[in-house]
Amino acid sequence: MTAIPQGRTRRAALVSAMCALVVGMGAGCAEDPDAGTNGVGKLPAEQIQAKTRTAAGSVDAVRLSGAVVTSGRTYKLDMRLKADGGTGSVTAQGATFHLLRVGEELYLKADAAFWNHEDGKSDSDTAAAEKLDGKYVKVPTGDPSYKKFSVFTDKDLLLDGLLTLHGSVKTDGHHEQSGVRTIRITGDGGHGGTLDVSLEGEPYPLRLVRAGGAGTLSFSAWGKDFALEEPAKGETVDYGKQLPTS
């Protein structure tokens, strides 16, 4: 067996000792967390935020799921959105309904219990609710429900309102969401919200924790198109200028 020169042994031992010392001090011999990424993890937080907003606005489709708290009410969302509309489910106050918007046309589909959940309704009201069971009800543009629910189907409006961190924006380390490496940025130390931004491929937002406990949302299927069509006439009910009271 060939003997290893003592000088080489001493150098190897010295390198090992230096690495142990550096690691003990909380720094380097570890793998670079930004190696092989899109590089945004090395940028200042303000630039990361700007890049993720640009990336989100540059594609036509996204899936959004999670909870949004607004005006004291929690809405659980599972929506697919693109430039000309969106489709998916919304749950609020224990009731789940389906939203579909194609262009300016907004439809709401729910079961009879959704339309007839109030006590004291007459038999005629109950009969009307049963006729709406599982049907797409066209929401008139002048009805208060149109503005209230159409926002959940508007990709640009929804993302513009959501992808905003409040207060001083800073980075908060490297993380992972659904197997994808991320860089996290926070507003006001987390009190103004936190946003995980993908370090793989485009810097899309992947997870948002809204300020003030106003909900947590996940984003996926960026740029993946999907079919968006108006329901068949046999599946639709048009109530004219005002929806029935729900």
Coordinates of all heavy atoms in Angstrom, one line a residue, residues 39 46 95 100 174 202:
G39 N -32.1 32.9 -9.4 CA -31.3 34.0 -8.9 C -32.0 35.0 -8.2 O -31.3 35.9 -7.6
E46 N -37.4 44.3 -2.2 CA -38.2 45.1 -3.0 C -38.2 44.6 -4.5 O -39.2 44.6 -5.2 CB -37.8 46.6 -2.9 CG -38.1 47.2 -1.6 CD -37.0 47.0 -0.6 OE1 -36.0 46.2 -0.9 OE2 -37.0 47.5 0.5
A95 N -71.9 27.3 3.3 CA -72.5 27.0 2.1 C -71.5 27.1 0.9 O -70.7 28.1 0.9 CB -73.6 28.0 1.8
L100 N -68.8 31.0 -12.2 CA -68.3 30.9 -13.6 C -68.5 32.2 -14.3 O -69.6 32.8 -14.3 CB -69.1 29.8 -14.4 CG -68.9 29.8 -15.9 CD1 -67.4 29.4 -16.2 CD2 -69.8 28.8 -16.6
H174 N -34.7 31.0 2.9 CA -35.1 30.1 1.9 C -36.0 29.1 2.5 O -35.8 28.6 3.6 CB -33.9 29.4 1.3 CG -33.0 30.4 0.5 ND1 -32.2 31.3 1.1 CD2 -32.8 30.5 -0.9 CE1 -31.6 32.0 0.1 NE2 -31.9 31.5 -1.0
E202 N -39.7 30.6 -13.5 CA -40.1 32.0 -13.3 C -40.4 32.3 -11.9 O -40.9 31.4 -11.2 CB -41.4 32.3 -14.2 CG -41.2 32.3 -15.7 CD -40.2 33.3 -16.1 OE1 -40.2 34.5 -15.6 OE2 -39.4 33.0 -17.0

